[in-house]
Amino acid sequence: EDTRLDRLKEMKYYPDHDSLLNLGEKAGDKNVYCCTLDWRLGQLDNAEVLNNYINDLLEKTGKSKVNIMGVSFGGQVVASYLTLYGGEKVNNAVLHCPALDGSTIVSELLKGNANVKWSDALDLYCSYDKVEQEYSVITDLLDISFINGFLMDFINAELLDFFLNYGSVWDLVPLGEYAALRDKLLTDGTHDEIIRKSDAYHFDIAAKRAETFEKLKSEGVDISIIAGYGCEPVVSCGTNSDGVIDLASATGAFCAAPDETLPDGYAQSKCENHCHISPAFTVDASTGYLPENTWFVEDMYHGLGVNEAKVNELIMTLLTEESIKDVHSSPEYPQF
């Protein structure tokens, strides 16, 4: 009961508060519950936590199903839960900027690259903290790129050994880079359990994402993804992202680099019945995990869809109603 929104408000503690407050307005505070997770744990462990939480919640409320939203790391957890435990207890699932295939920020830092785009990082911080002042002009006037060297030295000296013991860190390494980094960094024989669990996550869950989602849909789970794009990650690596999670990681879509378009003559190779290429010719959603149920919002920073009226309206509708079945259901909510 202490994780119900009305009780959280009494305690003045509601993590990811904008999402929860908006849900409270839509569904009523006494119908909204928050499963907080230990972000240090990997996906297998947190999926088990979520499974136990849902079982307890359904027993307590007498309901048979939940509607569930996962944000960022939470989206990765919800998808892992659905893969491991099935969707029979879930009606609608909305994954907002989910880290389904991790983030290149994590792999870049593990590889020793800390090319932080400080102006973008400050813009992102100001967006989260609702600060209207424009700080990025400072970084444009002053060359502070030298800080990156100190940052990487600090990470290597003080943090790397610490974070190598977190299952979540390894599960946030994209599938295509995981094996090489695992074999490079986990060599002292003390990480066997982390390797076992992260291998299972990458090869049994992440690698089969699209087919798992299609299976869930066929079983009646309405599952949707909403992702932002148009920015390079704050740790620069040339990919299209919402500043934190790469668009390809969140959605499985093929996309051009920031400020670029798809190659001349490019044509989508899947979903022949519908066009899933963005009007600006920058994203091909047909390659994604859920081509018919993924919405893309240009220039939306990570996790901030709940602060944009139309995007929040879409999220709440997908989560609490049955009126929008796919990206073709309503002209109010086009795919791009």
Side-chain angles (χ1 to χ4, degrees):
E1 288 185 336
D2 281 341
T3 64
R4 199 175 61 203
L5 181 54
D6 61 326
R7 298 288 287 271
L8 293 174
K9 282 184 173 180
E10 290 175 7
M11 294 184 284
K12 301 186 185 305
Y13 174 76
Y14 28 93
D16 196 35
H17 59 280
D18 289 327
S19 296
L20 287 170
L21 294 179
N22 290 344
L23 280 169
E25 289 183 10
K26 179 72 174 179
D29 291 354
K30 290 188 176 182
N31 296 312
V32 177
Y33 293 78
C34 179
C35 177
T36 53
L37 301 165
D38 186 341
W39 66 269
R40 297 167 296 183
L41 298 179
Q43 291 300 309
L44 271 65
D45 292 323
N46 268 320
E48 182 180 4
V49 170
L50 180 56
N51 179 58
N52 293 334
Y53 182 87
I54 290 174
N55 288 339
D56 289 347
L57 177 59
L58 295 179
E59 181 180 358
K60 177 68 179 177
T61 61
K63 305 294 183 180
S64 60
K65 290 189 176 185
V66 298
N67 294 329
I68 187 167
M69 177 166 70
V71 182
S72 189
F73 176 75
Q76 191 184 31
V77 173
V78 170
S80 299
Y81 159 79
L82 289 169
T83 302
L84 293 171
Y85 297 95
E88 61 271 11
K89 297 174 184 175
V90 175
N91 185 41
N92 297 333
V94 176
L95 310 181
H96 181 31
C97 58
L100 296 180
D101 191 30
S103 170
T104 54
I105 289 178
V106 176
S107 55
E108 287 298 297
L109 292 176
L110 290 177
K111 287 187 289 187
N113 300 328
N115 183 22
V116 178
K117 300 183 67 178
W118 292 102
S119 60
D120 290 348
L122 281 169
D123 283 344
L124 186 63
Y125 165 76
C126 291
S127 297
Y128 284 141
D129 217 33
K130 299 184 174 70
V131 175
E132 295 184 2
Q133 186 169 348
E134 180 62 65
Y135 286 107
S136 59
V137 66
I138 299 173
T139 62
D140 292 337
L141 292 172
L142 302 174
D143 182 9
I144 61 172
S145 59
F146 70 91
I147 296 177
N148 288 335
F150 292 103
L151 175 64
M152 202 64 246
D153 288 344
F154 174 74
I155 289 173
N156 286 330
E158 305 294 338
L159 297 180
L160 188 59
D161 287 343
F162 190 57
F163 284 119
L164 291 184
N165 292 289
Y166 287 176
S168 58
V169 169
W170 286 102
D171 289 354
L172 284 167
V173 175
L175 176 62
E177 300 185 89
Y178 166 69
L181 283 170
R182 176 201 63 193
D183 294 345
K184 177 183 178 182
L185 296 174
L186 301 184
T187 58
D188 63 359
T190 65
H191 299 92
D192 289 350
E193 187 66 2
I194 285 178
I195 291 173
R196 180 187 70 79
K197 290 181 177 180
S198 201
D199 277 2
Y201 170 71
H202 282 93
F203 304 130
D204 298 334
I205 298 177
K208 302 173 182 177
R209 187 77 69 199
E211 60 188 83
T212 298
F213 283 173
E214 285 302 318
K215 180 175 182 292
L216 289 165
K217 285 177 59 181
S218 71
E219 295 171 352
V221 180
D222 284 337
I223 182 168
S224 307
I225 297 173
I226 297 175
Y229 71 104
C231 311
E232 191 175 354
V234 293
V235 175
S236 178
C237 49
T239 62
N240 203 321
S241 80
D242 59 12
V244 177
I245 302 297
D246 312 81
L247 187 66
S249 294
T251 68
F254 179 77
C255 53
D259 300 321
E260 296 183 13
T261 60
L262 298 170
D264 290 342
Y266 181 89
Q268 70 181 49
S269 57
K270 299 181 179 180
C271 305
E272 295 179 358
N273 293 334
H274 297 116
C275 176
H276 289 287
I277 295 180
S278 64
F281 208 60
T282 55
V283 178
D284 177 8
S286 74
T287 67
Y289 306 127
L290 284 168
E292 306 293 330
N293 297 89
T294 302
W295 283 262
F296 300 80
V297 186
E298 191 170 16
D299 298 329
M300 182 179 73
Y301 278 134
H302 182 69
L304 295 181
V306 293
N307 295 327
E308 297 188 20
K310 204 65 181 176
V311 180
N312 178 64
E313 187 178 281
L314 173 62
I315 291 173
M316 298 301 143
T317 302
L318 289 169
L319 191 61
T320 62
E321 300 179 14
E322 311 294 332
S323 57
I324 302 176
K325 287 298 184 183
D326 55 38
V327 295
H328 316 291
S329 295
S330 172
E332 280 192 84
Y333 309 109
Q335 181 160 43
F336 296 97

